[in-house]
Amino acid sequence: MFGYEGICFVFSNGTSQKNRNRSTSNTMYTYSNVDPEYNYSEDNVFYFDDSGILHLIDTASGKDIVYCDKPNCTHEGYSRTNQNPSCPAAFYGLSKAGAVIYNDHLYFIGNMSDEDMTIQYLYVMDSNGENRKKTAKLENVQNVRAVLYRDNYVIGAYSNRVELNDEGQIINDDNPEAGIFVIDLDNYKVYMSDKITSEQANIMGIYYEDGAVYYSTVRFGDDVTELMIEEGATADAESFAYDNMLNGIYQYDIADEKTTCLTEIDHINNLRLLDGDGYYSSKDGYFVFDTESRQTRQLPIDADGKTQYGPLKKSGDFLYYALSEENSDEVTYYRLKDDKSEELMKLSTEKAFGIENICGQSVYVNYTDDEGEFSLGVISLDNLNKGNFNPRKLRCYNEEYEKGCFDSGCSSSHCCYSSGGSLP
């Protein structure tokens, strides 16, 4: 147990993952779609504040605490004048990701040493943040985008932009590439997928199942230059991206160390990797690409004259989506199963929300509260299915994050304490 401000938490809920004689019992965390400094589970949320201090939000009570049980600690973060902070919740580095409890230890991916920006490490420490040790070394990894802990593997996505020489000097600041890495926690062996390259190359989602990692990618075609992107963004960024972006879904088999491109699609919007399958929209409607059969089928979603509001999400067999009609101030929420859609609720655009993550019975949402603050909140899955939206506020985001940014997930580090209570 870990205690602070009179609250105790147990970080294992008995969820079991088994595959190829590998098993573990842990809370299941899911990364944020945009900010790798956020990780969600059914019971709590880990995130870093602006000073690199690790926080934990207890979902049931709404309490936001600094992840530190050190008596009389002032929780000072890393700075030029404090390069060895004593607080076990203090982390630093240009890239910070994957801070979760797993195997009764706290894990973190970053670089808290003086080595160059192209190296990241997996740090393993006691569950309270003490006794940190560097384990796996990730070479030529600059920005970690997402991290999952599954089946005693650490699975992560990264993107690179700059190229350095042997002296650590930047020789090319426009060398986009992206890929995924896997760390085997039995022996800390590192596996790396093939890289994708070209302008704006990035990994948008990762998923693990049966010894394989599925991941979605986005990049511009090989004939698209940075200058063309700048000119296209000035003229009509949305149309330029729709006409020139390539979206892909790849599979990486860990045992065989083999990367396979399952599909690459153009002229689509918002490809989402949900439970391993690719969901997306285009001018012709909504579709899903099945990674097992490698077949694409259209979804019975009537979007004529409507705009998608927020990201698509899945829970079990249900697909959740929201649409706003032209010249309307309302957003309608639906769930789809077996090609049948059910309307859940209608909300005004001022009260509308986007789903950040669904973890078990906890649905994390981005919304604007009654005081006009853009916030992270939580409702139960049961209430979402009943069309009841009465979120508990967990924290408010920084002022620079506006309501429209939730479409890909919002990130921030400005803490806003909740009054607690039972799950709504």
Side-chain angles (χ1 to χ4, degrees):
M1 288 190 176
F2 178 95
Y4 188 78
E5 293 187 348
I7 305 174
C8 289
F9 302 100
V10 178
F11 294 107
S12 179
N13 67 1
T15 301
S16 179
Q17 289 283 304
K18 296 184 179 180
N19 175 57
R20 297 184 181 179
N21 297 320
R22 300 168 64 91
S23 64
T24 186
S25 178
N26 284 283
T27 296
M28 298 282 285
Y29 285 89
T30 303
Y31 60 88
S32 165
N33 286 324
V34 157
D35 194 337
E37 299 185 11
Y38 279 71
N39 291 278
Y40 298 86
S41 77
E42 183 173 21
D43 301 318
N44 49 61
V45 180
F46 276 108
Y47 75 93
F48 290 99
D49 68 18
D50 291 332
S51 298
I53 299 296
L54 183 63
H55 287 240
L56 182 143
I57 302 175
D58 176 57
T59 303
S61 68
K63 289 292 185 179
D64 183 322
I65 67 171
V66 173
Y67 194 80
C68 171
D69 61 357
K70 198 171 183 178
N72 303 315
C73 184
T74 57
H75 312 312
E76 292 182 343
Y78 176 86
S79 66
R80 291 183 178 179
T81 58
N82 185 25
Q83 298 189 17
N84 293 291
S86 60
C87 177
F91 294 79
Y92 56 93
L94 295 176
S95 179
K96 295 187 290 293
V100 305
I101 293 291
Y102 190 75
N103 290 342
D104 300 319
H105 288 81
L106 180 64
Y107 289 83
F108 167 74
I109 295 180
N111 188 341
M112 295 188 285
S113 67
D114 294 329
E115 297 185 50
D116 67 58
M117 63 182 291
T118 66
I119 296 175
Q120 306 295 326
Y121 290 96
L122 174 67
Y123 292 82
V124 183
M125 60 209 81
D126 296 342
S127 60
N128 64 356
E130 301 277 10
N131 300 317
R132 299 177 182 178
K133 297 177 182 178
K134 287 181 182 177
T135 56
K137 182 178 182 179
L138 301 171
E139 298 186 81
N140 196 27
V141 171
Q142 297 172 19
N143 301 294
V144 178
R145 299 276 302 174
V147 180
L148 287 176
Y149 296 79
R150 300 287 189 270
D151 199 20
N152 223 36
Y153 290 121
V154 184
I155 302 114
Y158 70 92
S159 64
N160 297 334
R161 184 70 180 184
V162 302
E163 183 180 359
L164 306 180
N165 61 19
D166 293 338
E167 288 73 40
Q169 299 172 321
I170 297 176
I171 58 176
N172 184 358
D173 62 358
D174 183 26
N175 184 39
E177 57 183 22
I180 63 113
F181 59 83
V182 178
I183 303 170
D184 190 331
L185 291 179
D186 286 340
N187 51 26
Y188 297 116
K189 179 179 178 179
V190 176
Y191 301 82
M192 304 288 283
S193 73
D194 295 345
K195 297 176 183 177
I196 63 162
T197 58
S198 78
E199 290 296 331
Q200 304 296 317
N202 229 325
I203 309 295
M204 303 307 293
I206 57 177
Y207 177 78
Y208 169 84
E209 186 175 4
D210 294 333
V213 182
Y214 299 86
Y215 56 102
S216 58
T217 67
V218 64
R219 65 182 182 91
F220 279 104
D222 295 332
D223 57 340
V224 177
T225 65
E226 186 176 17
L227 178 59
M228 291 170 62
I229 295 173
E230 292 177 359
E231 293 175 347
T234 301
D236 187 341
E238 185 175 349
S239 295
F240 183 83
Y242 186 87
D243 291 336
N244 295 279
M245 274 283 191
L246 296 175
N247 295 263
I249 298 177
Y250 289 74
Q251 176 184 326
Y252 178 72
D253 186 275
I254 300 172
D256 295 337
E257 301 185 44
K258 180 181 178 182
T259 303
T260 303
C261 179
L262 302 182
T263 187
E264 196 162 50
I265 322 166
D266 58 11
H267 292 85
I268 67 170
N269 295 313
N270 303 320
L271 175 64
R272 291 278 174 171
L273 194 63
L274 305 176
D275 291 347
D277 295 327
Y279 290 79
Y280 62 90
S281 64
S282 74
K283 294 178 180 178
D284 297 320
Y286 284 78
F287 299 84
V288 57
F289 173 81
D290 187 302
T291 52
E292 183 175 356
S293 66
R294 302 195 188 183
Q295 298 296 312
T296 299
R297 68 181 181 89
Q298 187 165 4
L299 298 171
I301 295 176
D302 180 13
D304 288 344
K306 302 173 185 176
T307 302
Q308 182 179 326
Y309 191 93
L312 304 177
K313 292 292 181 179
K314 279 198 75 177
S315 177
D317 295 329
F318 289 99
L319 175 70
Y320 293 85
Y321 65 98
L323 301 172
S324 62
E325 295 189 26
E326 295 179 4
N327 303 318
S328 172
D329 62 354
E330 285 188 328
V331 177
T332 306
Y333 294 81
Y334 304 87
R335 66 176 183 176
L336 174 70
K337 181 183 179 182
D338 297 330
D339 288 343
K340 294 182 180 179
S341 284
E342 176 187 359
E343 183 178 318
L344 300 178
M345 70 182 93
K346 287 182 182 289
L347 294 175
S348 67
T349 53
E350 290 77 12
K351 298 291 185 180
F353 63 93
I355 300 176
E356 166 67 11
N357 254 306
I358 302 178
C359 302
Q361 283 294 311
S362 297
V363 180
Y364 295 98
V365 296
N366 293 317
Y367 72 109
T368 300
D369 68 8
D370 293 338
E371 286 73 43
E373 292 182 318
F374 189 53
S375 305
L376 172 67
V378 64
I379 63 175
S380 70
L381 183 60
D382 286 342
N383 273 338
L384 175 62
N385 290 330
K386 293 176 183 177
N388 298 327
F389 184 65
N390 184 26
R392 171 182 301 110
K393 182 176 176 178
L394 299 178
R395 63 189 307 267
C396 59
Y397 292 115
N398 281 345
E399 292 181 358
E400 63 265 25
Y401 291 95
E402 297 182 0
K403 185 176 181 181
C405 71
F406 72 77
D407 181 58
S408 56
C410 188
S411 62
S412 163
S413 301
H414 178 67
C415 179
C416 193
Y417 290 84
S418 171
S419 60
S422 59
L423 187 63

